[in-house]
Amino acid sequence: DKYGTIGDARGWGFMLGVEFVTDSQLRKAETLDVMDKMKQMGVLIGKGGFYGNVFRIAPPLCFTKEDANYLVDVMDCSMTKK
């Protein structure tokens, strides 16, 4: 609810997808910008979707609750920085 650009979050097992739903021209650029900011903070995620506007989060099996909290904090920080 905090971000109007996130349309859907879905997953299966340990894989999660987070979809951006902005103007089709901005989707891919915005996704790549957030991914780059997250990479600078040490979190690597993939992208997918027809427009390249879906984060693919597929953590390793040794992923802990602390790791999950860090990922969410980094994503939040990356999305709020302009």
Side-chain angles (χ1 to χ4, degrees), residues 60-77:
L61 292 176
C62 60
F63 201 65
T64 64
K65 185 173 183 173
E66 291 79 22
D67 295 330
N69 290 335
Y70 183 71
L71 182 134
V72 170
D73 291 342
V74 167
M75 185 177 281
D76 180 49
C77 183

Side-chain angles (χ1 to χ4, degrees), residues 24-65:
S24 62
Q25 296 286 328
L26 299 174
R27 287 179 187 164
K28 190 172 183 178
E30 193 171 323
T31 304
L32 292 174
D33 184 47
V34 172
M35 286 177 66
D36 187 48
K37 290 176 185 174
M38 291 179 71
K39 182 179 173 183
Q40 292 173 6
M41 290 186 256
V43 176
L44 298 175
I45 58 173
K47 68 176 171 63
F50 187 70
Y51 298 103
N53 64 321
V54 178
F55 287 144
R56 286 186 181 166
I57 303 167
L61 292 176
C62 60
F63 201 65
T64 64
K65 185 173 183 173

Side-chain angles (χ1 to χ4, degrees), residues 2-30:
K2 185 175 180 179
Y3 301 103
T5 57
I6 294 179
D8 191 24
R10 54 190 175 268
W12 186 265
F14 221 36
M15 181 182 247
L16 179 68
V18 180
E19 178 184 27
F20 275 93
V21 289
T22 57
D23 178 15
S24 62
Q25 296 286 328
L26 299 174
R27 287 179 187 164
K28 190 172 183 178
E30 193 171 323

